Amino acid sequence: MTKTYKVVGIGNAIVDVLTQSDDSFLDLMGIEKGIMQLVERERGEMLYGAMKDRTQAPGGSVANTLAGIGNLGLSTAFIGRVRDDALGRFYADEMARGGTDFVNPPVAGGELPTSRSMIFVSPDGERSMNTYLGISAELGPEDVADDVAGQAEILFLEGYLYDKPKGKQAFERAVQVCHANGGKAGIALSDPFCVDRHREDFRGLVRELDYVIGNQHEWEALYQTDLSAALEQAARDSGLIVCTRSGQDVVLVRGDEEATVPVTRVVPVDATGAGDQFAAGFLYGLAMGHPLELCGRMGVVAAAEVISHFGARPEADLKALFAEAGLI
């Protein structure tokens, strides 16, 4: 049976607001460099006001991945929550313009405003993210439609959803509906702090889901051990695991099939979205039924493209880049 969507994502619908800034500005504002911090509404508004020459783009980890998969020509949908305000309408319109069905209409009424992440990009390409979660944190099981989650060949989830009980319920419902209809479901671990907050739940997900993507720090945090021991444990627990490491080989394991994919080191213009676009290339390969090594190589090409320019979504034709690299 052919499904409506190759990939359906569920995650936080966040407008990325980007600006360039130097390290002294970060110190002055009390921003920790290179990580994602959640901020309250008041601090979010203060940081937003302090941004010069800001640009905005629809963001959120899973939504960025879907944009990459859409760039590759596959059918995608996004389950997320925005308010019917200027930023929310911008978000919904931009997702649709990029070819992803934004299946939940913006919410009218007095709820929280649309979520936003104030991203300060340093001259070395590091990004420091300050995220006000707003209405996307209210995403719940009632936002998961059967004819979306059940029509996914592959479901992709972000670990950040576990930060709210309703998000966790939405997540579990989406997996249940996807699996019941013969789809595959997986997760990106999101960040080491997120892993620390939900370690036991995430270990359970590694056992239940069809694939798990994480970077070195996330896998080490999950099993509280060094990388090789963590990956051995994960490989025993999961159907398919992927581990990315900054500037080093990517490791992929599925049962007896193992692949190590080299990366070409490049100095990033803006590291925003590297992990999200790796996931896009990898999931494209998975959806097309390619061997693990080829899936990994596609992920590496997509990640290299996105760090070569400002912003978290691909600007080049990824399929053309795959062809150039001899992958298709």
Side-chain angles (χ1 to χ4, degrees):
M1 184 183 96
T2 310
K3 305 267 191 184
T4 310
Y5 301 111
K6 280 285 188 189
V7 184
V8 171
I10 175 169
N12 285 310
I14 297 172
V15 177
D16 284 343
V17 186
L18 296 113
T19 191
Q20 287 166 308
S21 65
D22 57 23
D23 291 357
S24 60
F25 177 83
L26 299 182
D27 289 343
L28 180 70
M29 303 303 282
I31 295 166
E32 198 170 332
K33 185 175 176 178
I35 67 159
M36 195 286 285
Q37 286 180 305
L38 293 177
V39 297
E40 295 304 320
R41 189 170 179 171
E42 199 175 306
R43 178 160 170 80
E45 285 170 355
M46 185 273 286
L47 290 174
Y48 185 78
M51 300 178 96
K52 292 188 175 68
D53 302 323
R54 53 180 181 240
T55 56
Q56 63 184 39
S61 178
V62 162
N64 290 338
T65 296
L66 292 173
I69 295 169
N71 177 295
L72 285 157
L74 299 188
S75 53
T76 56
F78 181 59
I79 299 167
R81 195 171 174 87
V82 296
R83 186 171 167 189
D84 189 5
D85 54 19
L87 280 181
R89 290 187 293 274
F90 163 79
Y91 193 96
D93 292 347
E94 284 293 302
M95 288 297 287
R97 208 166 63 85
T100 294
D101 284 357
F102 190 77
V103 293
N104 303 76
V107 179
E111 267 193 282
L112 297 165
T114 294
S115 312
R116 68 209 60 184
S117 183
M118 279 61 71
I119 303 175
F120 297 88
V121 183
S122 309
D124 61 2
E126 277 284 340
R127 82 262 197 230
S128 310
M129 305 167 77
N130 301 265
T131 304
Y132 166 61
L133 276 180
I135 198 174
S136 74
E138 300 295 304
L139 183 79
E142 66 282 359
D143 295 308
V144 179
D146 285 10
D147 60 357
V148 179
Q151 283 295 318
E153 281 187 26
I154 295 174
L155 182 69
F156 185 47
L157 310 140
E158 68 183 54
Y160 289 131
L161 279 181
Y162 259 66
D163 282 334
K164 293 280 177 141
K166 279 173 73 175
K168 183 177 170 180
Q169 289 162 13
F171 191 109
E172 286 165 353
R173 176 166 156 66
V175 172
Q176 189 187 349
V177 174
C178 173
H179 275 161
N181 287 278
K184 286 186 163 63
I187 185 175
L189 293 174
S190 294
D191 80 24
F193 303 106
C194 187
V195 172
D196 287 339
R197 292 193 292 272
H198 308 291
R199 185 173 288 109
E200 287 315 307
D201 277 335
F202 281 7
R203 284 186 181 177
L205 288 173
V206 172
R207 291 189 290 272
E208 289 160 30
L209 297 178
D210 302 286
Y211 64 91
V212 182
I213 303 171
N215 66 27
Q216 174 176 354
H217 306 299
E218 290 154 7
W219 285 115
E220 288 174 343
L222 186 61
Y223 292 105
Q224 296 175 290
T225 182
D226 64 83
L227 186 63
S228 64
L231 292 185
E232 270 177 39
Q233 179 66 49
R236 282 198 297 273
D237 287 352
S238 178
L240 165 55
I241 61 155
V242 181
C243 175
T244 59
R245 296 174 291 173
S246 183
Q248 291 180 281
D249 295 354
V250 177
V251 178
L252 306 97
V253 185
R254 176 169 53 194
D256 295 334
E257 188 187 357
E258 261 190 62
T260 304
V261 178
V263 304
T264 310
R265 295 194 76 144
V266 288
V267 177
V269 172
D270 170 16
T272 314
D276 302 339
Q277 294 315 320
F278 173 86
F282 166 76
L283 289 173
Y284 172 81
L286 197 64
M288 301 305 281
H290 292 317
L292 272 194
E293 189 194 358
L294 190 51
C295 297
R297 289 174 67 192
M298 288 174 161
V300 166
V301 169
E305 189 282 334
V306 83
I307 64 173
S308 71
H309 57 75
F310 207 45
R313 299 185 171 198
E315 289 180 354
D317 178 343
L318 292 179
K319 220 175 229 182
L321 294 179
F322 287 179
E324 210 176 286
L327 306 182
I328 52 175

